[in-house]
Every structure is written in C-alpha cells, then in structure tokens.
Amino acid sequence: MSAPAAKPSRDPSPALDLSLPWNPEARLLRWLTLIWVVLGLAMLFSASYPVAQRITGDGLYFFKRQLIWVGLGALSFLVLVQIPLRRWFPWAGLLCLLGIGLVWATQVPGLGVTRLEASRWLDLKVIPIIQPSEFLKPLLVLQGAWVFGRWFHHPRWFRCVWVGIFGISLLGILTQPNLGTTAICGLTLWIMAWTAGIPALTLFGTAGLGAMAAVLSILSKEYQRRRILAFLDPWASAQGDGYQLVQSLLAIGSGGLWGKGYGLSQQKLFYLPIQYTDFIFSVFAEEFGLVGSLSFLGLLSLYALVGLRVMMRCRELPIRLVACGCVVFLVGQSLLNIGVVTGALPTTGVPLPLFSHGGSSILAGLITAGLLVRAARESEL
C-alpha cells in the first residue's frame, strides 16, 4: 500500500513573535529612533509656536497635533517590531496597489486637496486629510523587497508587471506634482534592485527613463523651472523665487558655531516660509549652530552605519532589502531635505523625516523605522 500524500507544509510561527531576543543593532536603532523623534518634537515646538500663535491663537496647536500622530506612530512601531516580516510579504502587493490607488485619487476633483500649486493631499471625508505618497513609502519597501529579493524565482510576466506598477506609482506622485518624493521613491527602489543583483541593463534602462521623466516634468512646469533658476542664483531674486532659500541661508549662517540658543531663532518670526515643515532644519541650524548641525548629521551617520550592519548580517535577501529600503528612506530623505535647505540641491517639497510637522510624514516615518528594527531583530535568523 502506497504511503499517504504529504500535506502541504504550513508555517507554524505565530503572527506575533514576542520571544525573539533583541540584539545590539535592534536596541541601538530603537534608541536612535527615540532620540530622533524627541529631538524633532522639541524642534517643532520651537519652530511652530510663533506662527501657530498668530494663525490660531494657540501656540501649541501644531505641536499638539503632532503629538497625536507620534502616539499613533509609536503604537505602530511597537506592533511592527513584533511581527515577522515574512507575514507582510503575502499582503504587500495588495497594500501597495491600494497605496498607489490613493496616490492617483489625489487627482480626482472633490477628493484631492490642492495647496501651494500641488495636489498631494487626499480628503476622504471620514478621516483627517492625508498625504498618500508618504504612506506609500513603506509599502514600496515591502513589495520591492519581495519582487527584487526573489527576482530570479519569479516568472518573467510577474517581474514585468511589477516594474510597470512601480513606474505607475512614481508617475502618480510626479503628476501631483511632487518631484522630490518621486526622486526619493525611485532612488530607493533602484538601490534595492541594485542590492538584489538585478542585471545592469535593467537598472540603467529604468534610471534613464526616470531621468527623462524628471526632465519632462521640469520643462512642463513653469514653477519648477523657476525653482531651478532660483537655486542657481537665489540672490538674483531675493524678493521673488529665491526668497525662501535666501531666508534659509540667512538662518543657517546666523547660527554661527554654537547657535543662538533654543527658541531664539529670528528667521522663524515670519521671515522664513514653512519653517515648521520642509525648512525646519534651517531653524534648527540657527538655534544650535554648526555644532548642533554636525551632531544631527552624526546621528544620521550612526543610523546609516547600524542599518548597513543589519543589511550585512541578514541571511535572507528580502529581509536585507527591507533594511536597505528603510535606511534609504529615512537617512536618504533626510540628506535630501538638508541639501535643499542649505542650497546644495534645488528646492523640493520633501519633509525632514521624524522632524517636520505632518501627520502622514511622522506616522510613515515611524512605520518605516519599525520595519527596520524588525529587520534588525531577524538579521541573525
């Protein structure tokens, strides 16, 4: 009599993994994230108080709203560090498609919210206004890790479909328009693909298409062309298109070596626009000077080095790519933001992760950090 057919194997591991020990990398990343968030809250309090007092009559208005989103982000962080990453991979594709759909929904009249010549926000009526492109970032990391991490195991049609879907997601962000977020999302996916060993022809082909799309966007949007010209010589239009960058440079330069002191920034007093969101680092540099700025860059460097060590210790390629994507989004976007406010890069609407005001940004940042810490915990499995 023949033996009975073997039953399909099933993963017996629980959805929550409370027994997995915390290795040194995971512990250090957790503490660095906490320091980053606390420092960001302190800076937001200083940068937003004058404008909140003037606009709403409550100097703590933006700070209190940020606290609520930090609380939601902290809860998400605590849950994510306990869930095995392999539990997310079967759902990552569906969640990614949902995120892409929300990004494109910003172009629908009545749903999309336009601010400063851009439709990047979504009003679903039943929940607060959100910025879908921020929530798409960790979803791109998860699905990118699954697609690129098993690239040579997936059939050709699957690979072609998902490369196309990733392209559609970037196009959706670009049409808002949001060139900075498009660039950081595209760069993250490209670095993840390069880390996974995707053929060079595919990498250079997609990079070329991305560069062409960026050039076409700049040529077709007058305000983006003006930003480029203002970046090249902001002092030539110090009262026009270059005003924001000039005020940012004045804030950074006036900070000197040690800064003016916490809460003593002058540029935040209605000289520097959006000083509590995209240009919050300018206020930080003015109040804490060169020493404080280099200290923050040191924190970013340490975060990146620990993330790189996690990548090197990961045995499974998809887990390694999750760590890679999270590091690029958190550290890479931070460097992009700092490059913009210091005049090293053209002005783009990219927030400073875990610093800038914005519920979608802080929640997505803490979700991304939670995925990175979870990858660190699984790096020795």
Side-chain angles (χ1 to χ4, degrees), residues 226-227 229-246:
R226 295 201 311 265
R227 281 185 173 183
L229 294 174
F231 157 72
L232 295 174
D233 188 6
W235 301 98
S237 56
Q239 297 301 318
D241 294 326
Y243 177 81
Q244 189 173 42
L245 179 54
V246 166

Side-chain angles (χ1 to χ4, degrees), residues 4 46 94 185 191 252 256 281 296 303 319 355:
S46 173
L94 181 61
C185 288
I191 292 177
I252 295 171
F281 184 79
F296 182 68
Y303 207 94
I319 306 300
F355 246 69

Side-chain angles (χ1 to χ4, degrees), residues 54 56 61 86 98 102 162 182 269 362:
R54 182 174 181 176
T56 68
Y61 177 78
R86 62 182 176 275
L98 176 61
L102 292 177
W162 271 105
T182 305
L269 302 177
I362 191 70

Side-chain angles (χ1 to χ4, degrees), residues 71-145:
L72 293 174
L75 180 61
S76 302
F77 179 93
L78 293 174
V79 172
L80 285 170
V81 298
Q82 304 294 348
I83 300 178
L85 289 174
R86 62 182 176 275
R87 292 289 181 183
W88 290 108
F89 291 139
W91 301 96
L94 181 61
L95 293 173
C96 191
L97 290 174
L98 176 61
I100 295 170
L102 292 177
V103 167
W104 280 98
T106 59
Q107 306 302 313
V108 178
L111 293 180
V113 178
T114 301
R115 299 172 181 171
L116 301 175
E117 302 183 56
S119 298
R120 304 173 185 173
W121 298 269
L122 191 63
D123 185 3
L124 296 177
K125 314 302 181 183
V126 295
I127 61 175
I129 295 175
I130 61 172
Q131 190 171 355
S133 59
E134 291 295 324
F135 293 114
L136 183 59
K137 292 174 182 176
L139 300 179
L140 287 175
V141 168
L142 285 172
Q143 184 60 10

